[in-house]
């Protein structure tokens, strides 16, 4: 009930994101039902039916990725002060996010079922009733358990992924976190440890020791040796120096306003070290997937090139209208796509580091630090978009190839779902990054930073990423298309 109320009372922009999730789920559900209809109309070819069902995995993965990105940017399920007291802690909000995602995906699955039944001719009242009756096996009764099982895949997997990624993380103890994530520095960079922390400047405040020496309230080693050489008797323990001088002159001891009060006796081991320990956060480490991504990408391109030169009998038929080739070509495509997605966060971090090199100004420094901070959040969906773009370019039918035909409706639907879901996920990641740096932007505006400079930094980040990942995607796509272009 709470998830329904949050869904109904959300902002129109949030509702639009959820409708995009429902649309992607509808496309994926229709592809799954089409695979079921092909299996019903071709009972003598189970291998082809299984291959069609396997080709529904990329749209399914893209839909789940989009659902997770939309759930991360949902402001209604974000932890806020006071919600834990009302029983809406991080765990409960995670369940609300998973339920909201399941409802959006379930809406899309029901829409896919309605369209599927209309195309089969089981439902009447629409202009396109029964247009695909032969392809979807309209003369065979629809197995309802199988259809519902396929339609439940998207809501179940999407809600499970949201619950897994948004689960509350157990906080480490304070002492362990301080030792693991803090770098110890003493006063003025000297390493040191103390039992209790002092306030800043308590020991070395400018002029503190000098005033005490001028007033006579502090006894330094030099003044103590001078008084001892002049024959001044040292004051007993617990008595100020003025009292000892008055006793030697024969007068009564008089209290002096400048004489310091007797310091309490310190026990052994209770004296603090002069150097205090200040903890600074450890700088964020760069993404570690760049070398692995480059290695996997190179291996995938090498497998594709080798498979294109060697004549093999095991050809794998891709979906309708897409080129056919050896199975090793498909393996090389998968490896290249995975390598490109793994290397993207590291490349984004490297772009930020290069952007702020060689005496940067405020604009380049702000843009470079932003790219370094958002390397993982922006780099992953950007790498997926580049991989999908390279795959679409490489798998596009070519007019000079005899192994290709016209693109069918199901292939166009699958490509639209994958491309649209990945691009929308990238926009959702950019929105999440904007929400994450909202406090920093507000602080810069309070300090007097012009709005034009912030917009210029955002445009510079986008331009640098486009200048780096655009040619990289084209190069990978051309190399991936070479084995099929030779056939």
């Amino acid at each position: 009930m709470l998830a329904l109320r949050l869904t109904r009372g959300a902002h129109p922009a949030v509702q639009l994101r959820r409708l995009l999730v429902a649309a992607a789920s509808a496309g994926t559900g229709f592809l799954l039902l089409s695979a079921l209809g092909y299996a019903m109309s071709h009972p003598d070819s189970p291998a082809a039916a299984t291959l069609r069902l396997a080709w529904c995995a990329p749209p399914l993965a893209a839909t789940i990725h989009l659902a997770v990105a939309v759930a991360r940017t949902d402001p209604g399920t974000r932890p806020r002060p006071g919600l834990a007291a009302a029983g809406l802690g991080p765990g409960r909000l995670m369940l609300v996010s998973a339920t909201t995602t399941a409802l959006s995906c379930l809406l899309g699955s029901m829409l896919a079922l309605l369209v599927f039944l209309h195309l089969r001719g089981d439902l009447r009242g629409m202009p396109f009733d029964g247009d695909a009756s032969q392809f979807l096996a309209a003369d065979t009764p629809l197995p309802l358990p199988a259809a519902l099982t396929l339609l439940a895949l998207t809501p179940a997997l999407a809600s499970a992924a949201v619950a897994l990624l948004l689960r509350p993380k157990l906080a480490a103890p304070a002492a362990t976190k301080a030792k693991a994530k803090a770098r110890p520095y003493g006063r003025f960079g000297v390493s040191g440890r103390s039992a209790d922390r002092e306030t800043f400047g308590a020991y070395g405040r400018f002029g503190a020791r000098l005033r005490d020496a001028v007033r006579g309230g502090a006894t330094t080693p030099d003044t103590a040796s001078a008084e001892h050489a002049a024959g001044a008797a040292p004051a007993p323990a617990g008595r100020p120096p003025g009292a000892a001088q008055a006793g030697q002159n024969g007068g009564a001891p008089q209290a002096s306003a400048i004489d310091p009060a007797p310091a309490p006796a310190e026990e052994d081991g209770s004296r603090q070290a002069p150097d205090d320990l200040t903890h600074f956060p450890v700088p964020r480490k760069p993404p570690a997937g760049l070398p692995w991504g480059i290695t996997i990408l190179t291996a995938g391109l090498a497998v594709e090139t080798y498979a294109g030169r060697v004549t093999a009998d095991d050809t794998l038929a891709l979906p309708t209208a897409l080129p056919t080739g050896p199975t090793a070509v498909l393996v090389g495509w998968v490896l290249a796509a995975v390598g490109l997605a793994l290397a993207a966060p590291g490349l984004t971090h490297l772009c930020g580091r290069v952007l702020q090199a060689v005496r940067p100004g405020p604009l380049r420094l702000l843009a470079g630090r932003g790219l370094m901070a958002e390397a993982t959040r922006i780099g992953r969906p950007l790498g997926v978009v580049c991989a999908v773009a390279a795959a679409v370019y490489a798998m596009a039918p070519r007019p000079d190839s005899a192994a290709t035909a016209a693109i069918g409706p199901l292939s166009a639907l699958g490509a639209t779902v994958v491309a649209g879901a990945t691009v929308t996920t990238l926009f959702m990641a950019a929105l999440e990054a904007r929400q994450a740096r909202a406090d920093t932007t507000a602080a810069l505006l309070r300090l007097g930073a012009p709005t034009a400079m912030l917009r210029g930094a955002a445009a510079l980040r986008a331009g640098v990423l486009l200048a780096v990942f655009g040619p990289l995607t084209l190069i990978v796509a051309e190399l991936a298309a070479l084995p099929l272009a030779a056939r």
Side-chain angles (χ1 to χ4, degrees), residues 136-167:
L136 300 179
D139 53 347
T140 306
L142 180 66
L144 191 58
L148 294 181
T149 301
L150 292 177
L151 290 177
L153 283 178
T154 305
L157 294 179
S159 58
V162 169
L164 180 63
L165 294 180
L166 299 184
R167 69 188 186 277

Side-chain angles (χ1 to χ4, degrees), residues 4-275:
L4 289 175
R5 290 183 178 180
L6 290 176
T7 303
R8 185 182 60 181
H11 194 269
V14 180
Q15 300 285 17
L16 178 60
R17 299 173 209 164
R18 293 170 180 169
L19 287 179
L20 291 176
V21 175
S25 176
T28 305
F30 186 80
L31 290 175
L32 292 171
L33 291 178
S34 300
L36 176 62
Y38 183 84
M40 293 167 54
S41 59
H42 300 80
D44 52 344
S45 56
T50 305
L51 181 61
R52 286 178 174 269
L53 185 61
W55 275 108
C56 296
L60 181 61
T63 303
I64 295 173
H65 195 197
L66 175 61
V68 171
V70 170
R72 289 172 65 94
T73 58
D74 192 353
T77 56
R78 191 176 303 162
R80 278 170 283 183
L83 290 181
L88 293 176
R92 185 74 178 274
L93 289 178
M94 179 266 296
L95 293 177
V96 171
S97 299
T99 306
T100 305
T101 303
L103 289 176
S104 301
C105 295
L106 189 61
L107 176 63
S109 298
M110 293 299 102
L111 180 61
L113 180 60
L114 289 177
V115 174
F116 181 78
L117 292 178
H118 275 290
L119 290 178
R120 276 175 52 92
D122 296 337
L123 298 179
R124 299 293 178 180
M126 297 293 289
F128 49 84
D129 292 336
D131 289 349
S133 57
Q134 296 181 357
F135 177 74
L136 300 179
D139 53 347
T140 306
L142 180 66
L144 191 58
L148 294 181
T149 301
L150 292 177
L151 290 177
L153 283 178
T154 305
L157 294 179
S159 58
V162 169
L164 180 63
L165 294 180
L166 299 184
R167 69 188 186 277
K169 298 178 177 59
L170 297 178
T176 306
K177 186 183 298 185
K179 292 180 180 179
K181 295 186 178 182
R183 182 178 297 175
Y185 288 108
R187 185 176 288 109
F188 302 108
V190 181
S191 301
R193 299 185 179 273
S194 59
D196 299 327
R197 299 189 62 180
E198 301 175 355
T199 58
F200 178 78
Y203 180 81
R205 201 178 304 277
F206 178 79
R209 306 300 173 187
L210 182 60
R211 286 193 298 269
D212 293 340
V214 171
R215 292 177 181 178
T219 303
T220 61
D222 296 337
T223 57
S225 60
E227 290 177 1
H228 182 70
R239 293 180 59 189
Q245 185 178 1
Q248 291 178 0
N249 296 335
Q254 298 178 358
S256 176
I258 63 174
D259 291 341
E266 295 182 353
E267 299 179 359
D268 296 339
S270 62
R271 186 178 300 234
Q272 296 183 0
D275 295 329

Side-chain angles (χ1 to χ4, degrees), residues 302-332:
V303 169
E304 292 177 17
T305 306
Y306 179 77
R309 292 182 179 180
V310 176
T311 303
D313 299 334
D314 55 334
T315 58
L316 180 64
L318 301 180
T320 0
L322 297 182
T324 60
T327 309
V329 174
L330 178 61
V331 174

Side-chain angles (χ1 to χ4, degrees), residues 58 62 65 336-338 340-341 381-395 414-423 473 477:
H65 195 197
V338 172
L340 191 57
L382 182 58
V384 173
V385 169
C386 294
V388 169
V392 170
Y393 181 84
M395 297 171 63
T416 303
V417 170
V418 173
T422 51
V423 172
T473 304

